[in-house]
Amino acid sequence: ERLPGTSVAGYAFAPPPTMTARETPANLTVKTYAHADDCVPQLSLRSVALVLLRLLAIDRLDLGVAARVKLLAAGDAAAARATSAKALRHFAPTSSFPLLDHVGDDFFHLDGGAIVARDAAELRRVRFHRRMLVDHFPNAYEAALAAAAGAA
């Protein structure tokens, strides 16, 4: 808005959510891309605080180590949330942190040689996946973009 008549366009690859409102200046266009299960676009203070509080809640449950590890390693997020919900009711895990979104209005997901328009709100919660770190590497993004370009 400072430079009337000037338009700015950009691309963001794997950005964490940083905006407190989904308001982008009229003269700014940003297309945001996230690859497969990349964890960085899911990381905000709010989402990380919630994960840590869930881990604390699971730790406080009357479960043996094997049962806790099984609960976390199974990848059953719904079961982990349900199991930890009882302990979480004593905390206000997200009230201290604002709900953050990604910059721009266009969000795309790169996976399997395709570029799919998605709602960035899907990434407000950390999803655990075995490739969540590897999918953030620059070569993973390069390969995904090359596959998408080859499929086009």
mmCIF file of all heavy atoms in Angstrom, residues 112-146:
data_model
loop_
_atom_site.group_PDB
_atom_site.id
_atom_site.type_symbol
_atom_site.label_atom_id
_atom_site.label_comp_id
_atom_site.label_asym_id
_atom_site.label_seq_id
_atom_site.Cartn_x
_atom_site.Cartn_y
_atom_site.Cartn_z
ATOM 1 N N GLY A 112 3.151 -36.499 -5.205
ATOM 2 C CA GLY A 112 2.898 -37.497 -6.243
ATOM 3 C C GLY A 112 2.848 -36.943 -7.653
ATOM 4 O O GLY A 112 2.081 -37.422 -8.479
ATOM 5 N N GLY A 113 3.651 -35.934 -7.945
ATOM 6 C CA GLY A 113 3.680 -35.370 -9.294
ATOM 7 C C GLY A 113 2.526 -34.434 -9.592
ATOM 8 O O GLY A 113 2.317 -34.058 -10.729
ATOM 9 N N ALA A 114 1.778 -34.062 -8.563
ATOM 10 C CA ALA A 114 0.640 -33.168 -8.768
ATOM 11 C C ALA A 114 0.782 -31.926 -7.896
ATOM 12 O O ALA A 114 1.426 -31.956 -6.856
ATOM 13 C CB ALA A 114 -0.662 -33.889 -8.420
ATOM 14 N N ILE A 115 0.175 -30.853 -8.367
ATOM 15 C CA ILE A 115 0.066 -29.623 -7.586
ATOM 16 C C ILE A 115 -1.427 -29.414 -7.354
ATOM 17 O O ILE A 115 -2.187 -29.219 -8.303
ATOM 18 C CB ILE A 115 0.677 -28.415 -8.313
ATOM 19 C CG1 ILE A 115 2.166 -28.659 -8.574
ATOM 20 C CG2 ILE A 115 0.476 -27.151 -7.490
ATOM 21 C CD1 ILE A 115 2.839 -27.552 -9.370
ATOM 22 N N VAL A 116 -1.834 -29.477 -6.091
ATOM 23 C CA VAL A 116 -3.249 -29.420 -5.749
ATOM 24 C C VAL A 116 -3.513 -28.202 -4.878
ATOM 25 O O VAL A 116 -2.808 -27.983 -3.881
ATOM 26 C CB VAL A 116 -3.667 -30.705 -4.987
ATOM 27 C CG1 VAL A 116 -5.137 -30.669 -4.633
ATOM 28 C CG2 VAL A 116 -3.325 -31.943 -5.804
ATOM 29 N N ALA A 117 -4.521 -27.414 -5.241
ATOM 30 C CA ALA A 117 -4.921 -26.279 -4.405
ATOM 31 C C ALA A 117 -5.527 -26.819 -3.121
ATOM 32 O O ALA A 117 -6.325 -27.751 -3.148
ATOM 33 C CB ALA A 117 -5.922 -25.401 -5.146
ATOM 34 N N ARG A 118 -5.095 -26.269 -1.990
ATOM 35 C CA ARG A 118 -5.580 -26.732 -0.689
ATOM 36 C C ARG A 118 -5.921 -25.534 0.176
ATOM 37 O O ARG A 118 -5.534 -24.405 -0.102
ATOM 38 C CB ARG A 118 -4.481 -27.537 0.035
ATOM 39 C CG ARG A 118 -3.963 -28.748 -0.673
ATOM 40 C CD ARG A 118 -4.722 -30.020 -0.417
ATOM 41 N NE ARG A 118 -4.765 -30.478 0.935
ATOM 42 C CZ ARG A 118 -3.890 -31.324 1.475
ATOM 43 N NH1 ARG A 118 -2.876 -31.765 0.811
ATOM 44 N NH2 ARG A 118 -4.046 -31.720 2.716
ATOM 45 N N ASP A 119 -6.592 -25.809 1.267
ATOM 46 C CA ASP A 119 -6.885 -24.791 2.265
ATOM 47 C C ASP A 119 -5.736 -24.816 3.276
ATOM 48 O O ASP A 119 -5.487 -25.845 3.897
ATOM 49 C CB ASP A 119 -8.218 -25.097 2.948
ATOM 50 C CG ASP A 119 -8.612 -24.036 3.953
ATOM 51 O OD1 ASP A 119 -7.823 -23.091 4.200
ATOM 52 O OD2 ASP A 119 -9.713 -24.159 4.511
ATOM 53 N N ALA A 120 -5.047 -23.705 3.443
ATOM 54 C CA ALA A 120 -3.911 -23.646 4.366
ATOM 55 C C ALA A 120 -4.330 -23.954 5.798
ATOM 56 O O ALA A 120 -3.507 -24.357 6.616
ATOM 57 C CB ALA A 120 -3.241 -22.283 4.297
ATOM 58 N N ALA A 121 -5.608 -23.802 6.111
ATOM 59 C CA ALA A 121 -6.086 -24.096 7.459
ATOM 60 C C ALA A 121 -5.889 -25.568 7.826
ATOM 61 O O ALA A 121 -5.851 -25.918 9.002
ATOM 62 C CB ALA A 121 -7.557 -23.719 7.598
ATOM 63 N N GLU A 122 -5.719 -26.429 6.818
ATOM 64 C CA GLU A 122 -5.465 -27.847 7.076
ATOM 65 C C GLU A 122 -4.146 -28.052 7.816
ATOM 66 O O GLU A 122 -3.920 -29.102 8.406
ATOM 67 C CB GLU A 122 -5.442 -28.636 5.773
ATOM 68 C CG GLU A 122 -6.756 -28.669 5.037
ATOM 69 C CD GLU A 122 -6.638 -29.360 3.689
ATOM 70 O OE1 GLU A 122 -5.765 -30.229 3.527
ATOM 71 O OE2 GLU A 122 -7.426 -29.015 2.798
ATOM 72 N N LEU A 123 -3.269 -27.066 7.765
ATOM 73 C CA LEU A 123 -1.940 -27.208 8.371
ATOM 74 C C LEU A 123 -1.829 -26.514 9.719
ATOM 75 O O LEU A 123 -0.740 -26.206 10.171
ATOM 76 C CB LEU A 123 -0.871 -26.658 7.425
ATOM 77 C CG LEU A 123 -0.754 -27.394 6.100
ATOM 78 C CD1 LEU A 123 0.294 -26.736 5.235
ATOM 79 C CD2 LEU A 123 -0.414 -28.855 6.325
ATOM 80 N N ARG A 124 -2.926 -26.298 10.391
ATOM 81 C CA ARG A 124 -2.867 -25.640 11.694
ATOM 82 C C ARG A 124 -2.488 -26.595 12.818
ATOM 83 O O ARG A 124 -2.240 -26.175 13.932
ATOM 84 C CB ARG A 124 -4.211 -24.993 12.013
ATOM 85 C CG ARG A 124 -4.465 -23.767 11.179
ATOM 86 C CD ARG A 124 -5.735 -23.097 11.574
ATOM 87 N NE ARG A 124 -5.928 -21.900 10.783
ATOM 88 C CZ ARG A 124 -7.108 -21.398 10.522
ATOM 89 N NH1 ARG A 124 -8.203 -21.980 10.983
ATOM 90 N NH2 ARG A 124 -7.218 -20.309 9.803
ATOM 91 N N ARG A 125 -2.467 -27.874 12.524
ATOM 92 C CA ARG A 125 -2.127 -28.883 13.533
ATOM 93 C C ARG A 125 -0.974 -29.723 12.999
ATOM 94 O O ARG A 125 -0.966 -30.089 11.836
ATOM 95 C CB ARG A 125 -3.342 -29.765 13.794
ATOM 96 C CG ARG A 125 -3.107 -30.814 14.830
ATOM 97 C CD ARG A 125 -4.372 -31.538 15.116
ATOM 98 N NE ARG A 125 -5.316 -30.563 15.661
ATOM 99 C CZ ARG A 125 -6.194 -30.827 16.589
ATOM 100 N NH1 ARG A 125 -6.295 -32.029 17.057
ATOM 101 N NH2 ARG A 125 -7.003 -29.906 17.046
ATOM 102 N N VAL A 126 -0.005 -30.014 13.842
ATOM 103 C CA VAL A 126 1.143 -30.818 13.426
ATOM 104 C C VAL A 126 0.683 -32.255 13.204
ATOM 105 O O VAL A 126 0.055 -32.861 14.063
ATOM 106 C CB VAL A 126 2.269 -30.780 14.484
ATOM 107 C CG1 VAL A 126 3.407 -31.689 14.077
ATOM 108 C CG2 VAL A 126 2.767 -29.353 14.678
ATOM 109 N N ARG A 127 0.974 -32.761 12.026
ATOM 110 C CA ARG A 127 0.692 -34.158 11.693
ATOM 111 C C ARG A 127 2.026 -34.899 11.681
ATOM 112 O O ARG A 127 2.967 -34.469 11.022
ATOM 113 C CB ARG A 127 0.035 -34.274 10.312
ATOM 114 C CG ARG A 127 -1.341 -33.656 10.227
ATOM 115 C CD ARG A 127 -1.899 -33.671 8.808
ATOM 116 N NE ARG A 127 -1.079 -32.842 7.917
ATOM 117 C CZ ARG A 127 -0.440 -33.302 6.845
ATOM 118 N NH1 ARG A 127 -0.524 -34.552 6.495
ATOM 119 N NH2 ARG A 127 0.277 -32.489 6.104
ATOM 120 N N PHE A 128 2.088 -35.984 12.394
ATOM 121 C CA PHE A 128 3.325 -36.762 12.441
ATOM 122 C C PHE A 128 3.331 -37.788 11.323
ATOM 123 O O PHE A 128 2.343 -38.477 11.089
ATOM 124 C CB PHE A 128 3.481 -37.448 13.797
ATOM 125 C CG PHE A 128 3.800 -36.481 14.882
ATOM 126 C CD1 PHE A 128 2.791 -35.901 15.637
ATOM 127 C CD2 PHE A 128 5.105 -36.106 15.129
ATOM 128 C CE1 PHE A 128 3.079 -34.985 16.613
ATOM 129 C CE2 PHE A 128 5.412 -35.185 16.109
ATOM 130 C CZ PHE A 128 4.390 -34.623 16.862
ATOM 131 N N HIS A 129 4.438 -37.830 10.618
ATOM 132 C CA HIS A 129 4.600 -38.768 9.516
ATOM 133 C C HIS A 129 6.077 -39.108 9.418
ATOM 134 O O HIS A 129 6.933 -38.271 9.738
ATOM 135 C CB HIS A 129 4.100 -38.128 8.213
ATOM 136 C CG HIS A 129 4.020 -39.087 7.078
ATOM 137 N ND1 HIS A 129 5.082 -39.360 6.268
ATOM 138 C CD2 HIS A 129 2.994 -39.845 6.626
ATOM 139 C CE1 HIS A 129 4.728 -40.247 5.355
ATOM 140 N NE2 HIS A 129 3.462 -40.549 5.557
ATOM 141 N N ARG A 130 6.378 -40.289 8.947
ATOM 142 C CA ARG A 130 7.781 -40.722 8.895
ATOM 143 C C ARG A 130 8.633 -39.860 7.965
ATOM 144 O O ARG A 130 9.834 -39.785 8.105
ATOM 145 C CB ARG A 130 7.876 -42.196 8.515
ATOM 146 C CG ARG A 130 7.329 -42.533 7.170
ATOM 147 C CD ARG A 130 7.352 -44.046 6.898
ATOM 148 N NE ARG A 130 6.679 -44.359 5.676
ATOM 149 C CZ ARG A 130 7.248 -44.272 4.468
ATOM 150 N NH1 ARG A 130 8.489 -43.891 4.341
ATOM 151 N NH2 ARG A 130 6.561 -44.565 3.399
ATOM 152 N N ARG A 131 8.019 -39.152 7.029
ATOM 153 C CA ARG A 131 8.776 -38.318 6.098
ATOM 154 C C ARG A 131 8.659 -36.828 6.412
ATOM 155 O O ARG A 131 9.033 -35.996 5.603
ATOM 156 C CB ARG A 131 8.303 -38.584 4.664
ATOM 157 C CG ARG A 131 8.580 -40.000 4.191
ATOM 158 C CD ARG A 131 8.340 -40.141 2.708
ATOM 159 N NE ARG A 131 9.010 -39.119 1.922
ATOM 160 C CZ ARG A 131 10.269 -39.200 1.465
ATOM 161 N NH1 ARG A 131 10.990 -40.251 1.726
ATOM 162 N NH2 ARG A 131 10.786 -38.217 0.752
ATOM 163 N N MET A 132 8.166 -36.480 7.569
ATOM 164 C CA MET A 132 7.881 -35.071 7.856
ATOM 165 C C MET A 132 9.125 -34.182 7.836
ATOM 166 O O MET A 132 9.020 -32.994 7.550
ATOM 167 C CB MET A 132 7.121 -34.923 9.174
ATOM 168 C CG MET A 132 7.863 -35.347 10.400
ATOM 169 S SD MET A 132 6.821 -35.408 11.872
ATOM 170 C CE MET A 132 6.524 -33.699 12.190
ATOM 171 N N LEU A 133 10.296 -34.723 8.114
ATOM 172 C CA LEU A 133 11.535 -33.941 8.032
ATOM 173 C C LEU A 133 12.158 -34.017 6.641
ATOM 174 O O LEU A 133 12.578 -33.012 6.077
ATOM 175 C CB LEU A 133 12.534 -34.419 9.087
ATOM 176 C CG LEU A 133 12.095 -34.226 10.536
ATOM 177 C CD1 LEU A 133 13.114 -34.823 11.487
ATOM 178 C CD2 LEU A 133 11.863 -32.767 10.847
ATOM 179 N N VAL A 134 12.195 -35.208 6.080
ATOM 180 C CA VAL A 134 12.799 -35.412 4.764
ATOM 181 C C VAL A 134 12.053 -34.625 3.688
ATOM 182 O O VAL A 134 12.675 -34.099 2.763
ATOM 183 C CB VAL A 134 12.811 -36.922 4.424
ATOM 184 C CG1 VAL A 134 13.317 -37.178 3.020
ATOM 185 C CG2 VAL A 134 13.659 -37.669 5.442
ATOM 186 N N ASP A 135 10.746 -34.514 3.812
ATOM 187 C CA ASP A 135 9.964 -33.783 2.815
ATOM 188 C C ASP A 135 10.249 -32.287 2.831
ATOM 189 O O ASP A 135 9.827 -31.578 1.925
ATOM 190 C CB ASP A 135 8.460 -34.032 3.018
ATOM 191 C CG ASP A 135 8.032 -35.385 2.501
ATOM 192 O OD1 ASP A 135 8.811 -36.012 1.740
ATOM 193 O OD2 ASP A 135 6.922 -35.826 2.840
ATOM 194 N N HIS A 136 10.956 -31.795 3.840
ATOM 195 C CA HIS A 136 11.305 -30.370 3.903
ATOM 196 C C HIS A 136 12.609 -30.060 3.162
ATOM 197 O O HIS A 136 12.868 -28.901 2.826
ATOM 198 C CB HIS A 136 11.421 -29.909 5.358
ATOM 199 C CG HIS A 136 11.726 -28.449 5.496
ATOM 200 N ND1 HIS A 136 10.818 -27.464 5.138
ATOM 201 C CD2 HIS A 136 12.834 -27.799 5.900
ATOM 202 C CE1 HIS A 136 11.362 -26.281 5.329
ATOM 203 N NE2 HIS A 136 12.583 -26.446 5.791
ATOM 204 N N PHE A 137 13.419 -31.056 2.867
ATOM 205 C CA PHE A 137 14.710 -30.821 2.227
ATOM 206 C C PHE A 137 14.526 -30.180 0.850
ATOM 207 O O PHE A 137 13.584 -30.503 0.123
ATOM 208 C CB PHE A 137 15.486 -32.124 2.067
ATOM 209 C CG PHE A 137 15.911 -32.761 3.360
ATOM 210 C CD1 PHE A 137 16.287 -34.085 3.382
ATOM 211 C CD2 PHE A 137 15.939 -32.058 4.553
ATOM 212 C CE1 PHE A 137 16.689 -34.688 4.574
ATOM 213 C CE2 PHE A 137 16.338 -32.641 5.738
ATOM 214 C CZ PHE A 137 16.706 -33.967 5.740
ATOM 215 N N PRO A 138 15.429 -29.260 0.477
ATOM 216 C CA PRO A 138 15.306 -28.588 -0.825
ATOM 217 C C PRO A 138 15.238 -29.566 -2.002
ATOM 218 O O PRO A 138 14.476 -29.351 -2.937
ATOM 219 C CB PRO A 138 16.564 -27.724 -0.904
ATOM 220 C CG PRO A 138 16.917 -27.454 0.522
ATOM 221 C CD PRO A 138 16.534 -28.714 1.266
ATOM 222 N N ASN A 139 16.012 -30.657 -1.939
ATOM 223 C CA ASN A 139 15.974 -31.597 -3.061
ATOM 224 C C ASN A 139 14.608 -32.275 -3.187
ATOM 225 O O ASN A 139 14.191 -32.649 -4.276
ATOM 226 C CB ASN A 139 17.092 -32.628 -2.970
ATOM 227 C CG ASN A 139 17.011 -33.490 -1.729
ATOM 228 O OD1 ASN A 139 16.438 -33.094 -0.712
ATOM 229 N ND2 ASN A 139 17.585 -34.675 -1.802
ATOM 230 N N ALA A 140 13.878 -32.409 -2.084
ATOM 231 C CA ALA A 140 12.534 -32.989 -2.138
ATOM 232 C C ALA A 140 11.593 -32.040 -2.878
ATOM 233 O O ALA A 140 10.746 -32.470 -3.673
ATOM 234 C CB ALA A 140 12.017 -33.286 -0.739
ATOM 235 N N TYR A 141 11.741 -30.739 -2.627
ATOM 236 C CA TYR A 141 10.918 -29.754 -3.324
ATOM 237 C C TYR A 141 11.283 -29.708 -4.818
ATOM 238 O O TYR A 141 10.410 -29.641 -5.677
ATOM 239 C CB TYR A 141 11.072 -28.366 -2.696
ATOM 240 C CG TYR A 141 10.129 -28.156 -1.545
ATOM 241 C CD1 TYR A 141 10.444 -28.633 -0.274
ATOM 242 C CD2 TYR A 141 8.918 -27.517 -1.730
ATOM 243 C CE1 TYR A 141 9.556 -28.463 0.787
ATOM 244 C CE2 TYR A 141 8.023 -27.344 -0.688
ATOM 245 C CZ TYR A 141 8.351 -27.823 0.578
ATOM 246 O OH TYR A 141 7.483 -27.663 1.600
ATOM 247 N N GLU A 142 12.572 -29.755 -5.105
ATOM 248 C CA GLU A 142 13.003 -29.741 -6.506
ATOM 249 C C GLU A 142 12.451 -30.940 -7.250
ATOM 250 O O GLU A 142 11.949 -30.810 -8.374
ATOM 251 C CB GLU A 142 14.540 -29.721 -6.589
ATOM 252 C CG GLU A 142 15.137 -28.417 -6.106
ATOM 253 C CD GLU A 142 16.639 -28.500 -5.930
ATOM 254 O OE1 GLU A 142 17.252 -29.546 -6.230
ATOM 255 O OE2 GLU A 142 17.218 -27.487 -5.473
ATOM 256 N N ALA A 143 12.527 -32.124 -6.640
ATOM 257 C CA ALA A 143 12.009 -33.341 -7.277
ATOM 258 C C ALA A 143 10.496 -33.262 -7.470
ATOM 259 O O ALA A 143 9.967 -33.663 -8.514
ATOM 260 C CB ALA A 143 12.382 -34.573 -6.449
ATOM 261 N N ALA A 144 9.775 -32.737 -6.468
ATOM 262 C CA ALA A 144 8.324 -32.626 -6.575
ATOM 263 C C ALA A 144 7.920 -31.646 -7.667
ATOM 264 O O ALA A 144 6.980 -31.906 -8.433
ATOM 265 C CB ALA A 144 7.728 -32.191 -5.225
ATOM 266 N N LEU A 145 8.625 -30.523 -7.766
ATOM 267 C CA LEU A 145 8.311 -29.547 -8.811
ATOM 268 C C LEU A 145 8.654 -30.105 -10.194
ATOM 269 O O LEU A 145 7.899 -29.899 -11.152
ATOM 270 C CB LEU A 145 9.070 -28.240 -8.559
ATOM 271 C CG LEU A 145 8.544 -27.416 -7.388
ATOM 272 C CD1 LEU A 145 9.526 -26.311 -7.023
ATOM 273 C CD2 LEU A 145 7.180 -26.828 -7.716
ATOM 274 N N ALA A 146 9.785 -30.834 -10.297
ATOM 275 C CA ALA A 146 10.168 -31.445 -11.578
ATOM 276 C C ALA A 146 9.129 -32.493 -11.990
ATOM 277 O O ALA A 146 8.743 -32.569 -13.153
ATOM 278 C CB ALA A 146 11.550 -32.074 -11.478
#
